[in-house]
Amino acid sequence: MSTPLLQVDNFHCERDDRVLFRDVHFALNGGEILQVVGHNGCGKTTLLRSLSGLSSYAGGDITWRGRQVSDVMPQYRREVLFHGHLAAVKHLLSPRENLRWFVDIFNNGNGDIDTALQAVGLFGYEDVPCGNLSAGQLRRVALARLLLSPAVLWVLDEPFTAIDVHGIAMLQGMLQHHLAKGGAVLLTSHQAIDVPEVRSLNLEMFK
C-alpha cells in the first residue's frame, strides 16, 4: 500500500471556548480530491488554512509523504498552494504583472504566464489594470496561479466563487488535468464537483 501524500490525524480546533472540530482524520493520495463540506461557521476555512500553515488555531498530527510536516516544512511549503476566498491580486497591476510577481517572489513558478492567462480566458486582458476587471475576471487571474505553480497539493477555499458557467467548466478541467498528473486537491465548495475522483468529508461529523 502506497504512502499517502497527506495524512491528517487528531486534528482539532477550539476558538472562543467553542469546539469547531475534533479528531479530524483523513488521507489524501495523488489523483484524489477531498471536498470538505458543512454549514457556514463549522470551521472549513480554518481547517484549510491551518493545514496550509497559514493559521495556528488548529493542531494535530500531519504527515507529508510519510514524514512529519514539521520535519519537512520547506518542502511542504513548496508543494502546497493555498487559494483563498479573495482573489488577492494588486489592482494597480495588470494580470501579467501580478503573475510575474507571484512567480518571482515565491520563486516557484513554471510555465508561460501568457499561456496561463489564455487558458483561464483572459486573452486580451493581459495588460489591463486589475482594478478595471470584473470580480469574475479577478478570480481567473488568481486561478492562473495554479497553472504556474509546481505545487502537488492544491488547497482551494470556495474556488468557484464569482465565476460563470464557462469558468466552472474551465476550473473543473484544470482539476482533472492536475489529478491526471498525480496531483491532489483539498477544497471547500458549495458547488457540486463534477469529477469522478472526488470524496467528501463532512466536518460536522467531527464535533
Side-chain angles (χ1 to χ4, degrees), residues 31-204:
E32 293 182 341
I33 294 182
L34 183 64
Q35 182 178 7
V36 182
V37 300
H39 69 266
N40 291 339
C42 71
K44 299 188 298 295
T45 294
T46 297
L47 175 69
L48 265 57
R49 287 183 61 84
S50 298
L51 290 174
S52 302
L54 300 174
S55 173
S56 58
Y57 286 116
D61 185 30
I62 311 171
T63 59
W64 179 250
R65 299 185 184 274
R67 300 181 63 187
Q68 290 291 325
V69 163
S70 57
D71 295 335
V72 292
M73 187 56 72
Q75 177 188 8
Y76 187 66
R77 291 192 182 280
R78 286 194 306 270
E79 296 191 306
V80 176
L81 179 65
F82 177 81
H83 175 93
H85 279 116
L86 302 177
V89 299
K90 294 183 180 295
H91 285 209
L92 293 178
L93 301 181
S94 68
R96 181 183 281 132
E97 290 169 332
N98 268 283
L99 294 179
R100 173 54 59 194
W101 180 87
F102 169 77
V103 169
D104 290 347
I105 293 297
F106 292 96
N107 194 31
N108 67 349
N110 57 21
D112 179 76
I113 288 174
D114 286 351
T115 299
L117 287 171
Q118 184 170 0
V120 297
L122 288 176
F123 176 76
Y125 293 90
E126 297 91 344
D127 296 312
V128 176
C130 284
N132 295 340
L133 300 181
S134 69
Q137 288 172 321
L138 291 176
R139 295 292 292 184
R140 288 169 183 260
V141 176
L143 290 171
R145 296 187 189 119
L146 300 176
L147 301 176
L148 294 168
S149 170
V152 178
L153 173 60
W154 293 356
V155 182
L156 313 177
D157 194 8
E158 296 294 344
F160 295 96
T161 299
I163 56 176
D164 57 21
V165 292
H166 298 293
I168 290 171
M170 171 203 72
L171 178 53
Q172 292 194 142
M174 289 169 59
L175 296 177
Q176 289 178 313
H177 182 66
H178 184 59
L179 298 180
K181 295 190 302 179
V185 179
L186 176 65
L187 61 75
T188 65
S189 177
H190 296 292
Q191 168 84 28
I193 312 300
D194 187 19
V195 177
E197 298 83 356
V198 67
R199 294 187 289 120
S200 180
L201 183 145
N202 187 345
L203 202 55
E204 295 180 46

